[in-house]
Amino acid sequence: MAEEEDIWNGGTKSRGAAWTGAESFLVGISPTFWAHVPMMVATVNNLHLVNGSHCWTNGRQCIPVSKCLLVGCIVNICIRSSDESILYVLDDGSGVIDCLAWTKESENDIFHLPSLNDDHRSVTDIKLGDKVRIFGKIQCLSIEENGKAIREIHASLVEKVEISGSIGVEARHWQICSDLEVDMVQDPTRFNSLSYVDLLGYQIAEQIQHGHRLPASDDTVGEWRVFGVSCRCTLEYKAELLYCHCTAKVEPLDPHFAFRDALLVHLLKVQSECCTQLTFPFRGVKINPRLQEKAMEVAAKSRGNQADSNPKLLADRLLLGTFRALRNDGVLNLVDADKDIYLLITRRWVLEPYVRRKISQSYELGKKNF
């Protein structure tokens, strides 16, 4: 227990000592990550990006935030007909920031649920010079050469502050922001994700401490979302093909996927040499001497020493069964049935370019995407 206490107090006896609180598997533990944290515009603009999360930081300890509450004056309004949004420029005295709000509520859009307040005003009622309170999500638009992030706010609520109480509301907001920043600088552990680990219970705290059954602890690309939290496959092609033994269709002649692993590693090697989408003929794989030898070896082991076992015939059956399974699993696509030409579906050369094209097309059509 003494060692565990040392871990969360910044000791050096385990991997926990190197954590900042901004790791992907820890940020969600901090209440500040889910709350609309009162901030000044300058504070939002000066947040650090750590592992993709917006953070207050004192050099080592990080406090992740994703949403904010701003109070200030509207100094510019731009109505965008392309996506039925309104761009407000908010000035609170410490700086200015763009805030996007959408006027059209969609029953299928969880970001635009109707207000529970009967007196809630539409965002179209906001006028130039109005004092407003904005609740929204912090979004990073780009990173400058000096590493500074350019941000905007995607507003979930734009609320007009009555003139009679505007000075008091704004002053109280400044005071809250000032006190909060002082607390975070003086005692970052009070808000840091690590401070809340023990509240989750001993079992979960121990899993986080040692990285046991914690899919995101060493996963920087979110593979666990594809393979699930129980996958323990360590395969050379796993990240590139988004494919592993856990999701693979079993071929009876290759129950341990030995030939399939050899085939996919070979195809990825060829892919790396051509630096583009890999299309290849089935015959090219069939006559490859190394793959032939591997297929015969694997097939022979699966059938044992049966008298009717023909190594060459079994190898051909294994190759056909493997291609059938890979097509079924979405790793290979038959692009030309007449010539028996296949496409290797990789993340870098097929999936990501396809997604980027779709995103570009949606932007061109003026759709809202965030």
Side-chain angles (χ1 to χ4, degrees), residues 103-116:
T103 58
K104 183 177 180 181
E105 296 180 354
S106 170
E107 61 182 4
N108 297 320
D109 191 345
I110 63 172
F111 295 101
H112 293 84
L113 295 175
S115 175
L116 298 178

Side-chain angles (χ1 to χ4, degrees), residues 141-351:
L141 298 179
S142 62
I143 306 293
E144 295 183 338
E145 293 183 359
N146 60 5
K148 181 178 176 60
I150 304 300
R151 295 179 173 89
E152 70 178 11
I153 306 300
H154 288 176
S156 55
L157 175 63
V158 181
E159 183 181 47
K160 184 177 179 180
V161 178
E162 297 299 334
I163 297 298
S164 58
S166 61
I167 297 178
V169 169
E170 198 167 20
R172 285 196 298 272
H173 180 76
W174 290 345
Q175 186 63 51
I176 292 171
C177 293
S178 177
D179 293 344
L180 187 59
E181 288 193 45
V182 170
D183 290 343
M184 289 188 173
V185 171
Q186 292 182 347
D187 186 17
T189 58
R190 175 183 171 189
F191 302 93
N192 187 274
S193 303
L194 295 174
S195 304
Y196 297 89
V197 171
D198 288 337
L199 300 179
L200 301 177
Y202 173 76
Q203 185 177 6
I204 296 178
E206 187 179 32
Q207 290 174 11
I208 293 175
Q209 173 190 335
H210 298 292
H212 296 324
R213 299 176 61 193
L214 194 64
S217 59
D218 298 309
D219 181 3
T220 60
V221 293
E223 291 178 0
W224 67 274
R225 294 181 175 88
V226 177
F227 305 107
V229 298
S230 301
C231 178
R232 294 295 180 267
C233 299
T234 55
L235 303 169
E236 187 175 340
Y237 56 77
K238 181 177 178 180
E240 182 59 28
L241 299 180
L242 298 177
Y243 187 62
C244 72
H245 295 171
C246 300
T247 59
K249 180 181 178 182
V250 177
E251 163 57 41
L253 289 174
D254 186 18
H256 301 295
F257 305 102
F259 175 70
R260 194 175 309 189
D261 290 346
L263 172 61
L264 293 177
V265 169
H266 167 75
L267 292 176
L268 281 182
K269 183 179 180 182
V270 177
Q271 168 88 84
S272 65
E273 294 172 353
C274 66
C275 295
T276 185
Q277 289 186 0
L278 176 63
T279 55
F280 62 94
F282 174 79
R283 177 173 171 76
V285 173
K286 185 176 181 179
I287 63 175
N288 183 284
R290 290 188 177 180
L291 292 177
Q292 271 189 336
E293 181 181 351
K294 185 67 175 179
M296 292 175 65
E297 174 190 339
V298 172
K301 286 183 179 179
S302 67
R303 294 303 293 263
N305 297 319
Q306 297 180 23
D308 61 344
S309 298
N310 184 320
K312 184 66 171 65
L313 180 60
L314 289 177
D316 290 343
R317 286 175 54 190
L318 172 57
L319 182 59
L320 288 171
T322 300
F323 265 69
R324 188 182 305 112
L326 290 174
R327 286 184 61 188
N328 181 77
D329 293 339
V331 179
L332 296 180
N333 181 45
L334 182 61
V335 294
D336 190 333
D338 295 332
K339 297 181 180 179
D340 217 7
I341 302 296
Y342 288 84
L343 168 70
L344 179 65
I345 303 176
T346 62
R347 181 163 70 175
R348 179 181 179 186
W349 296 106
V350 178
L351 298 178

Side-chain angles (χ1 to χ4, degrees), residues 57-178:
T57 177
N58 64 351
R60 182 178 181 278
Q61 299 284 340
C62 295
I63 302 169
V65 294
S66 62
K67 304 172 185 177
C68 65
L69 164 60
L70 303 175
V71 175
C73 179
I74 299 297
V75 295
N76 195 12
I77 301 176
C78 178
I79 300 176
R80 307 195 309 185
S81 59
S82 61
D83 58 0
E84 299 183 351
S85 67
I86 300 179
L87 174 65
Y88 296 108
V89 179
L90 183 75
D91 186 345
D92 71 348
S94 69
V96 295
I97 193 168
D98 292 345
C99 301
L100 277 178
W102 280 266
T103 58
K104 183 177 180 181
E105 296 180 354
S106 170
E107 61 182 4
N108 297 320
D109 191 345
I110 63 172
F111 295 101
H112 293 84
L113 295 175
S115 175
L116 298 178
N117 184 358
D118 294 335
D119 297 329
H120 172 61
R121 297 179 177 84
S122 168
V123 292
T124 56
D125 296 336
I126 305 299
K127 301 295 188 294
L128 197 67
D130 283 347
K131 296 281 186 180
V132 297
R133 182 186 291 112
I134 294 179
F135 296 81
K137 185 176 180 63
I138 304 170
Q139 295 286 353
C140 179
L141 298 179
S142 62
I143 306 293
E144 295 183 338
E145 293 183 359
N146 60 5
K148 181 178 176 60
I150 304 300
R151 295 179 173 89
E152 70 178 11
I153 306 300
H154 288 176
S156 55
L157 175 63
V158 181
E159 183 181 47
K160 184 177 179 180
V161 178
E162 297 299 334
I163 297 298
S164 58
S166 61
I167 297 178
V169 169
E170 198 167 20
R172 285 196 298 272
H173 180 76
W174 290 345
Q175 186 63 51
I176 292 171
C177 293
S178 177

